[in-house]
Amino acid sequence: MGVILSARNLQKIYDMGEVKVEAVKDISMEIEKGYFYAIIGKSGSGKSTLLHLLSGFDRPTKGTVEIGGKDIHNMKDDRLSAMRRKKMGFVFQSYNLLPEFCVEENIRMPLYLDHTRSKRGYIRNLMEKLGIYELRLKFPGQLSGGEQQRVAIARALAAQPDIVFADEPTGSLDQQSGREVLGLLKMMKEEWEQTILLVTHDMEIAQTADRIIEIQDGMVVERGA
């Protein structure tokens, strides 16, 4: 299907005063459209830092990240923010839902911020497929963790992005809810041909992906499926 994201010679150094920490060390990779990737590694391995660099939430010390052939780290902040709203979706461990807005408002928030609309019936279809349509008028505080993560997944898909970044999305859930969320992420790939980059420390979770990228001490050490 072609390459949707490419990274070249990515490096990230954090200046901790007298100590400099190299969290990502000269990583290059290509992500192909329509695949489910798992980025796996132990705590402190650099996997979340890598995800933040690939998604534009953090800037590299050196190196480039191109999405759709455009270097995202050469963009001005407002242009990068607009690109993230249109081209990228995000699912976090902590859900990051806005408590004062109901489920449907949270899902539509990326569209509100970009002053756009979804295709007719798309958001309803999305909620129905994720099993949260009946919850659309409830508020985040009235939902279980698994339900909140379903809402977060729907929000990530609201603008029909090209690529979805998921940072430990099952980390706060019980085993059953975690399995359900993983099933939904795989459904996203099948139903809407999403490209998914998921960070996890759990090999059992990683093995559900199409391809695995393993990180140790800031470097890619193994790739496979």
Side-chain angles (χ1 to χ4, degrees), residues 104-143:
E104 185 166 353
E105 289 170 331
N106 265 282
I107 292 169
R108 292 183 181 274
M109 194 58 63
L111 302 174
Y112 296 154
L113 292 173
D114 209 38
H115 307 290
T116 58
R117 294 184 178 184
S118 63
K119 293 179 182 176
R120 185 176 179 85
Y122 172 72
I123 297 297
R124 174 168 180 161
N125 180 47
L126 189 57
M127 288 190 287
E128 288 176 343
K129 284 201 176 284
L130 293 173
I132 53 175
Y133 181 72
E134 300 303 322
L135 304 175
R136 66 191 182 280
L137 300 180
K138 289 185 177 292
F139 290 84
Q142 298 173 294
L143 307 180

Side-chain angles (χ1 to χ4, degrees), residues 150-168:
R150 287 169 180 257
V151 175
I153 290 171
R155 180 186 58 193
L157 290 175
Q160 296 180 271
D162 295 331
I163 187 165
V164 174
F165 298 90
D167 193 358
E168 297 275 10

Side-chain angles (χ1 to χ4, degrees), residues 20 40 42 57 60 62-63 71 95 109 121 129 137-138 178 197 208 216:
K20 295 185 186 297
I40 189 166
K42 295 179 180 178
F57 273 112
K62 73 170 187 178
D71 185 348
Y95 322 132
M109 194 58 63
K129 284 201 176 284
L137 300 180
K138 289 185 177 292
L197 264 69
T208 67
Q216 281 184 18

Side-chain angles (χ1 to χ4, degrees), residues 134-218:
E134 300 303 322
L135 304 175
R136 66 191 182 280
L137 300 180
K138 289 185 177 292
F139 290 84
Q142 298 173 294
L143 307 180
S144 69
E147 289 169 342
Q148 289 188 64
Q149 195 59 292
R150 287 169 180 257
V151 175
I153 290 171
R155 180 186 58 193
L157 290 175
Q160 296 180 271
D162 295 331
I163 187 165
V164 174
F165 298 90
D167 193 358
E168 297 275 10
T170 64
S172 297
L173 303 177
D174 60 64
Q175 193 173 34
Q176 177 60 31
S177 296
R179 280 198 295 265
E180 289 175 359
V181 165
L182 278 174
L184 293 170
L185 289 170
K186 288 184 76 68
M187 184 190 76
M188 286 161 49
K189 190 204 79 166
E190 301 297 335
E191 291 274 338
W192 293 290
E193 298 182 345
Q194 298 294 334
T195 304
I196 300 171
L197 264 69
L198 177 146
V199 161
T200 183
H201 63 273
D202 188 329
M203 181 54 82
E204 186 177 344
I205 290 172
Q207 287 174 339
T208 67
D210 299 319
R211 298 179 181 179
I212 297 172
I213 300 169
E214 186 172 350
I215 305 294
Q216 281 184 18
D217 194 27

